[in-house]
Amino acid sequence: MRTGGGGRRRAVVVLLLLSGLLSMGGRAHAPVQAAERTAQLATAAGPTIVATGLVHPYGVAVDSHGTVYIAESGNNRVVKVPAGGHAVLPVVTGLSNPYGLAVDSHNTLYIAEWGRNRIVTVAAGGHAVLPVATGLFGPYAVAVDSHGTLYIAESGNGRVVRVPTGGGASTTVTTHQHGPEGVAVDSHGTVYIAETSIGTVVMVSAGGGAPTMVTDVLSGPRGMAVDSHGTLYIADHDDDRVVRVPAGGSTVVPVVTGLSGPSGVAVDSRGTLYIADTNHGRVIKVLAGKGH
C-alpha cells in the first residue's frame, strides 16, 4: 500500500513538473510575439506631423525646396516650415482670412485673402505683400500653372477666373458653379473645380468648354492638388478624409482617413502629400504611395 501511494505521489510530481515546463514555454514565447507585433506597428509608417498647435490651418502649399507654407486663417497669417524642420516661421501677418495657397516655379507664393476679396503675392524669401487680383467676391482657392497663369475659385460669384501672375484683367473659365472652394490645374492645362456646396468635382479642358463631371460622391470637397502623373487629390472636408482620383478616371480612392475637417492639400515633386487637418490644428504629410 505504501509503495502504491509513493508511486501515485511520484506520478503527481512528474505531471506538475511537465505542466510547469509547458507554462514556462508559453511564457517564453509571449515576449517574442509581442516584439513581432511591435515591429509590425513600427514598420507601418503613418502620417508624419509637419506642424501642430495651429489655429484653423486652411490652405497648404510646398515649394521646390520642400518648404511648406500654411494659411493659418485663425491667426490671419501665413507661416512656413522649412524642409525637414518643425519650426513654424511667420511669412505674412495682418491678413484677413487667408484660405487657399499656391506656389509657382519661381517659388513665388500666392494667397487667396478671402476677407479682402483679393489675391496677393509674396516673392520667394520675402515678406512684402503685393496685390495681383482685386475686386473679387469670396476667393477661396488659387492655383497656378506652368505658364504663370493663376486660377481663382471665386465662390461668391460661383465661378472660376484666370489672371496672369504679373497682373491684368481676369477672364472667366466657367460660371454657374455651386459654391466653388477648391481649384487645381494639371500639366495639360485642365482645370479642376470643387463645387463644395453640392459635393462634386468637375473639370474644364485647356481648350475651354462646358465642365464635365469627375466625381459626385464627396461631401464638402475643398482644397485640391494634382501630381506629376495627373492624379487628383481632394480634401473631402465633411467626410474627414483625403481621396485621390487617377488621371482620366472617376474612381475615388481613400488616401487618408480619420482626419477632422481637412481643408487643404498639396503634393510635391516626389509625390509626398501635405494635408491641412483643419480641426486638429495641424498639417501632416503622407509619403508617396502610402495611404492610411
Side-chain angles (χ1 to χ4, degrees), residues 12-233:
V12 170
V13 170
V14 169
L15 287 172
L16 287 172
L17 286 171
L18 287 172
S19 176
L21 287 170
L22 289 171
S23 297
M24 287 175 65
R27 285 194 297 269
H29 286 293
V32 175
Q33 293 166 351
E36 288 174 352
R37 287 194 296 269
T38 302
Q40 289 167 0
L41 291 171
T43 55
T48 302
I49 300 294
V50 174
T52 189
L54 303 170
V55 182
H56 202 79
Y58 197 97
V60 62
V62 58
D63 71 14
S64 62
H65 302 299
T67 300
V68 180
Y69 297 88
I70 305 161
E72 193 182 7
S73 60
N75 276 328
N76 290 313
R77 66 177 186 167
V78 171
V79 298
K80 68 180 180 181
V81 179
H86 295 283
V88 176
L89 308 173
V91 176
V92 181
T93 59
L95 298 170
S96 180
N97 298 112
Y99 286 159
L101 299 178
V103 177
D104 69 14
S105 58
H106 302 290
N107 292 329
T108 300
L109 176 67
Y110 299 90
I111 306 167
E113 192 179 8
W114 183 88
R116 293 194 175 106
N117 290 311
R118 65 180 186 169
I119 304 297
V120 298
T121 180
V122 180
H127 299 278
V129 171
L130 296 174
V132 67
T134 59
L136 303 170
F137 185 19
Y140 264 92
V142 60
V144 60
D145 68 15
S146 58
H147 302 293
T149 301
L150 292 176
Y151 297 83
I152 304 163
E154 195 181 359
S155 184
N157 280 327
R159 65 177 185 168
V160 170
V161 298
R162 65 167 66 90
V163 180
T165 54
S170 65
T171 57
T172 300
V173 175
T174 183
T175 59
H176 301 100
Q177 303 307 125
H178 299 271
E181 295 183 17
V183 65
V185 58
D186 68 16
S187 59
H188 301 293
T190 302
V191 180
Y192 299 88
I193 304 156
E195 294 188 286
T196 305
S197 63
I198 60 172
T200 65
V201 171
V202 298
M203 67 180 184
V204 177
S205 66
T212 58
M213 184 67 66
V214 175
T215 179
D216 61 356
V217 298
L218 305 174
S219 183
R222 295 191 178 176
M224 298 187 295
V226 184
D227 70 13
S228 59
H229 302 290
T231 301
L232 176 67
Y233 296 89

